[in-house]
Amino acid sequence: PVVGVSWYEANAYCTWLTEQLRQTGAISAQELVRLPTEAEWVLAAGGTQKRPYPWGKRFDAAKANTAESALKQPTPVHMYPTGATREGVWDLAGNVWEWSQDDGEWGKLLCGGAYYSDKGKVVVSSRYGDSPVDRNYGIGFRCLVVPISHR
């Protein structure tokens, strides 16, 4: 994952990627790339079944980079193939906290936990708020493509 990126930088990347993808025809002028909202992130991680972990009901240290893994650093995407959601989304628990569009009580909302988070902090419902200018190796982001009308 990309880490050490502030919320502002993650959003700037999404804006840049929108233009790049439009120029190549990969997305239409009616679509854009952006950070997910909290609700979108939760749906991607927990599915319509509202799973507590992306892969199911029970924690399994073999499915995510968490404190129980004792790696003490982010890992490459896809390192935990059995931790993907049923829908095929990877690394939604542990590894790095992910910026969202939404504001939290203490700043911009982050979801998912990080490599230093224990099993209780990598559940789908885990949240963390941070300053949008913060950069550290436990924070990253993912992008999604949406129709402009769904901002």
Side-chain angles (χ1 to χ4, degrees):
V2 174
V3 295
V5 178
S6 75
W7 183 87
Y8 292 112
E9 291 165 331
N11 272 289
Y13 176 79
C14 290
T15 300
W16 174 85
L17 186 57
T18 296
E19 292 308 312
Q20 298 302 306
L21 294 175
R22 284 179 180 163
Q23 287 176 14
T24 64
I27 65 172
S28 76
Q30 303 308 309
E31 297 172 300
L32 60 83
V33 178
R34 64 165 169 75
L35 298 175
T37 64
E38 176 187 15
E40 290 165 337
W41 195 96
V42 167
L43 182 60
T48 56
Q49 307 85 13
K50 300 181 180 179
R51 300 178 295 263
Y53 294 98
W55 54 83
K57 293 182 180 181
R58 298 177 199 267
F59 177 77
D60 183 342
K63 295 182 185 270
N65 182 10
T66 65
E68 289 79 7
S69 301
L71 296 175
K72 299 183 181 177
Q73 64 185 8
T75 53
V77 175
H78 299 148
M79 190 164 165
Y80 293 88
T82 60
T85 68
R86 294 176 191 160
E87 298 79 19
V89 184
W90 296 73
D91 291 333
L92 287 164
N95 212 20
V96 298
W97 286 101
E98 297 181 11
W99 289 116
S100 78
Q101 282 293 326
D102 298 329
D103 293 323
E105 187 176 336
W106 306 282
K108 287 297 182 180
L109 198 63
L110 294 132
C111 304
Y115 60 89
Y116 52 78
S117 304
D118 67 27
K119 65 183 179 181
K121 296 289 185 188
V122 298
V123 292
V124 170
S125 61
S126 286
R127 299 292 172 275
Y128 169 61
D130 205 348
S131 168
V133 299
D134 190 28
R135 295 184 190 124
N136 73 58
Y137 293 107
I139 296 176
F141 69 100
R142 73 176 62 227
C143 304
L144 54 90
V145 176
V146 295
I148 290 177
S149 61
H150 289 145
R151 280 189 171 186

